[in-house]
Amino acid sequence: MTQKTLSFSELNISSEEVFRQMGYAETPPSSQVVALTTEVIRQAEMVAQPCFGFVTVDGQLEGQLLSVGDVTMHIGKIIARQLAESEAFTFFVATAGKEIELLQQKILSQGDTVSAYIIDALGSVVAERCADLMEVFLQESIDKLGWRHTNRFSPGYCQWPVCEQPKVFSLLGNATCGVTLNAQCMMKPVKSVSGVIGIGSKVRHMDYTCGICGLQDCLYRKC
């Protein structure tokens, strides 16, 4: 079981990444948006405490069912296919942290809706980058075994029902980084990522996974 709090600087986030998250693809943001984004990042850097946690366990994959002890998850055929060669499974959570959420609420209370929108986008980038660094940390921990890891897969995507989120958290134990679930199985802080990664000597990490998923309106879709 591993839990690690990162400094904001370790994430190495650029304004350009936040702009892309905001939807600036072809058209560059205005100078006002650029200035506001720089200021929002500065404020976030002062308070943010991004964190990731994970636990690696033995499990059994049969068809579309992944079982760990008495916990059985219906992960669907798409994810099952990607995890098929796994020798163990890593369940994880990564979060931008409550501090960014509180900062957004503070900015909203001041009536600055543009900056609030910017920090919402920044929170998404922070959560994903935190999860990226979790993968790096995980890979370093399994290098000595000659193992690799798959992409990360989350409840709510690729036919894995979001209602199975509590099963993921039941396996994390104390490595939840303070992330909780509401009655709808949504995470709080909202800017959090959770799921499973397969590890082993025969698995592989794919550069692009959008082609294996049929969810056309996913906000992370690249193709």
Side-chain angles (χ1 to χ4, degrees), residues 82-98:
Q82 302 305 310
L83 299 181
E85 299 291 337
S86 302
E87 297 174 56
F89 302 92
T90 296
F91 291 89
F92 71 89
V93 65
T95 180
K98 64 180 180 180

Side-chain angles (χ1 to χ4, degrees), residues 2-200:
T2 298
Q3 180 169 295
K4 183 175 178 61
T5 300
L6 304 170
S7 67
F8 190 89
S9 61
E10 287 180 271
L11 304 179
N12 195 28
I13 291 173
S14 67
S15 296
E16 287 71 26
E17 292 173 278
V18 181
F19 296 150
R20 285 195 294 271
Q21 183 67 30
M22 293 168 63
Y24 289 102
E26 304 298 330
T27 305
S30 67
S31 58
Q32 180 185 19
V33 170
V34 171
L36 285 173
T37 301
T38 300
E39 174 59 19
V40 163
I41 292 175
R42 185 193 69 80
Q43 292 185 46
E45 185 172 12
M46 294 173 60
V47 300
Q49 296 185 48
C51 178
F52 66 74
F54 65 81
V55 58
T56 298
V57 294
D58 293 328
Q60 186 172 5
L61 186 61
E62 293 184 358
Q64 300 178 28
L65 302 179
L66 173 57
S67 298
V68 178
D70 59 357
V71 177
T72 298
M73 289 158 278
H74 298 71
I75 59 175
K77 64 180 180 181
I78 294 173
I79 298 175
R81 187 165 58 242
Q82 302 305 310
L83 299 181
E85 299 291 337
S86 302
E87 297 174 56
F89 302 92
T90 296
F91 291 89
F92 71 89
V93 65
T95 180
K98 64 180 180 180
E99 294 78 16
I100 284 185
E101 197 168 271
L102 291 172
L103 179 59
Q104 183 182 22
Q105 292 171 3
K106 177 182 177 181
I107 291 173
L108 268 177
S109 70
Q110 297 169 346
D112 188 350
T113 56
V114 176
S115 292
Y117 177 67
I118 293 171
I119 198 167
D120 184 81
L122 174 61
S124 296
V125 174
V126 169
E128 290 295 325
R129 181 59 59 80
C130 186
D132 290 342
L133 292 184
M134 178 274 301
E135 287 192 36
V136 172
F137 193 92
L138 171 63
Q139 183 58 55
E140 290 175 349
S141 71
I142 60 177
D143 275 342
K144 58 182 177 295
L145 300 174
W147 285 9
R148 299 184 294 272
H149 70 277
T150 68
N151 296 71
R152 56 182 185 259
F153 300 99
S154 300
Y157 295 90
C158 297
Q159 302 175 350
W160 188 5
V162 72
C163 64
E164 297 212 330
Q165 190 81 268
K167 296 180 181 180
V168 173
F169 275 70
S170 73
L171 297 170
L172 285 169
N174 294 323
T176 60
C177 294
V179 179
T180 59
L181 299 175
N182 65 15
Q184 289 74 44
C185 300
M186 305 303 291
M187 289 179 285
K188 184 175 178 58
V190 174
K191 301 305 181 180
S192 302
V193 185
S194 68
V196 66
I197 297 172
I199 59 176

